Amino acid sequence: TFAFEKYPFLKELGLEQTNHGCFDGEKWTGNGKTFLSVNPTNNEVIAEVRGATPEEYEVAVQNMNKAKAEWVKLPLPRRGEIVRQIGDAFRKHKAALGRLVSLEVGKIVAEGEGEVQEIIDICDMACGLSRSLNGQIIPSERPDHFMMEQWNPLGLVGVISAFNFPTAVFGWNFMIAAVCGNLTMWKGSPSTSLCSVACTKIIIDILEKNNLPKAALTLCMGEADIGNLMVEDKRFPLISFTGSTQVGRIVSEKVSKRFGKTILELGGNNCLIVCEDANEELALKASCFAAVGTCGQRCTSLRRLLIHSSKYESLKEKLVKAYKSVVVGDPLNNGTLCGPLHSKAQIKIYEDGLKQIQEQGGKILTGGKVMDGPGNFVEPTIVEMTNPYAPILQHELFVPILYIMKFDDLDEAIAINNSVPQGLSASLFTSNLQNLFKWTGPLGADTGIVNVNIGPSGAEIGGAFGGEKETGGGRESGSDSWKQYMRRSTCTVNFGKSLPLAQGIKFDL
Ligand code: NAD
């Protein structure tokens, strides 16, 4: 039995109890594996989605290739206009889609809606970009020569995404890729398949209304099987992968073996440092949101909190008190601040993680228990660690466990921040200019996102998003991230009547 009828907003998104999970560029289909959409609040099955078979995948790629020329020939601002219309469609469905994200992932509605807002924002940004994707004009050393850069689309882009941001990450990739002139195939996470189907429907509807090739977006839901087909397929010059470092490593190796490009957005292990001169109230609020938001399942979630010893006891006490007031419950309810973990597998990670933490000297200050009931609820947890280099701190557990630690000297705290293999996001709380510029400078934080007086999670779409080291090195969303979805040609044009060679080389026949 399905709990589908309990959630009327699903129908507004064109969803049904049994859904096709493959849009092959022309029609909805799906004769592959069945994926159940499960509500993590009570583990009831909401609906099912039938994924793509390898044959359906092949049809989708062929349809994309057939539609390529038509999509590429559209003037860039025309593609921008389509993306603008897509943004309006997401505006219209923001409430329903936000609730679906909340229902299927387990994050609170405000965060679900926030994710849809990110899609709307990236649509606006991509529309603006469609009139400003400029190449450079470069002075030539040769007389009567003209040098310019021309940016052309890559062709087909494959997007593989994770469960925790089941709509926004796709939105970042698709909107920029589409404006740049690419066609996108998406494989979302199997456990958030309704989100994938709903977003695809919204976009296909706009393409259809504009009489444009629908194969600008195809959807092939599946697991590692379909993911691997995309990764090994030379017809995808770019694979944008968001997920764990473990799977990212496999993806990276396979794509680079065929000389494809990747954008890798992998695991984080994010730190917040509270200096002696920091505003303690701000640091407290920022830490709570960053560590508890999405039940600790954001790539940018706060894992390690380093507090200057002069502030340690007072902030520790306030944090424990704040944690005790966090309302854990149904993410669809007003007032809930922390929903359930996404899956039973996450509960095991929480339990096993706590065991290891205690073996390595960690002391639980609050939380630490799996809550009774049919859902995947756990208590948001604070652990006091004395050794900031304990082996467990090198890993991203992806559950709401926050480590708190003491430090005395900022250089030492920066060294601890940088001591982990991941390099996504980091924050410093200070009111001292010297600290600030040390932190953002070459000997400061080694992460892709470096914040001051705000927490490590909750990035704006205007900046390039991504991280260093085992986070994969990719950059998505804002700034000049669009360049990764295009290939750059350096074009030299001779408009003279002789043939001077570069570097003054003489080659007289
Ligand atoms: P995951 O690695 O298990 O899965 C990610 C995607 O990869 C899914 O769609 C999955 O089906 C697919 N996949 C699995 N095996 C594959 C294979 N062999 N080939 C191709 N595709 C394959 O990750 P998850 O549990 O869904 O997500 C959590 C992880 O994602 C965390 O580590 C988190 O930090 C990371 N994440 C990173 C960012 C970022 O921007 N840096 C954003 C969100 C999530």
Side-chain angles (χ1 to χ4, degrees), residues 160-165 169 187-190 222-224 227-228 231 241-245 247 250-251 265-268 299 396 398 424 465 471:
I160 301 175
S161 58
F163 77 80
N164 65 329
F165 274 89
V169 164
K187 192 203 86 62
S189 170
E223 295 171 317
N228 193 49
V231 164
F241 175 85
T242 302
S244 59
T245 294
V247 177
I250 300 171
V251 169
E265 301 284 349
L266 314 177
C299 50
E396 179 202 45
F398 222 54
L424 182 53
F465 182 91
T471 302

Side-chain angles (χ1 to χ4, degrees), residues 151-339:
W151 290 91
N152 285 309
L154 290 172
L156 308 193
V157 171
V159 176
I160 301 175
S161 58
F163 77 80
N164 65 329
F165 274 89
T167 65
V169 164
F170 158 71
W172 295 352
N173 279 283
F174 174 76
M175 304 311 159
I176 305 284
V179 155
C180 290
N182 303 293
L183 302 94
T184 298
M185 176 182 280
W186 182 21
K187 192 203 86 62
S189 170
S191 62
T192 51
S193 46
L194 288 185
C195 286
S196 296
V197 173
C199 289
T200 304
K201 280 185 190 275
I202 291 171
I203 294 171
I204 299 304
D205 183 48
I206 298 296
L207 293 169
E208 211 158 31
K209 280 186 180 141
N210 285 275
N211 212 11
L212 286 169
K214 287 178 280 182
L217 172 62
T218 60
L219 176 72
C220 283
M221 292 307 292
E223 295 171 317
D225 52 350
I226 297 290
N228 193 49
L229 285 178
M230 294 167 76
V231 164
E232 293 197 329
D233 196 333
K234 277 192 172 174
R235 293 169 294 182
F236 287 99
L238 172 67
I239 296 289
S240 175
F241 175 85
T242 302
S244 59
T245 294
Q246 194 191 354
V247 177
R249 199 184 302 276
I250 300 171
V251 169
S252 170
E253 282 171 9
K254 288 191 175 172
V255 178
S256 61
K257 206 164 179 187
R258 62 172 175 85
F259 296 106
K261 300 184 190 199
T262 48
I263 301 176
L264 298 171
E265 301 284 349
L266 314 177
N269 188 351
N270 315 296
C271 189
L272 189 156
I273 299 171
V274 184
C275 295
E276 197 174 2
D277 51 57
N279 179 326
E280 210 172 303
E281 288 310 307
L282 288 191
L284 174 70
K285 279 191 180 164
S287 301
C288 288
F289 172 68
V292 175
T294 318
C295 199
Q297 298 164 113
R298 284 184 178 218
C299 50
T300 51
S301 287
L302 174 60
R303 313 279 172 210
R304 300 173 295 144
L305 177 60
L306 293 171
I307 307 170
H308 189 269
S309 52
S310 63
K311 284 196 160 358
Y312 186 77
E313 289 305 325
S314 123
L315 196 50
K316 174 171 122 179
E317 195 181 308
K318 288 181 188 162
L319 264 171
V320 170
K321 197 167 156 221
Y323 260 58
K324 289 195 195 299
S325 73
V326 168
V327 180
V328 179
D330 187 337
L332 288 168
N333 289 348
N334 283 337
T336 301
L337 286 182
C338 181

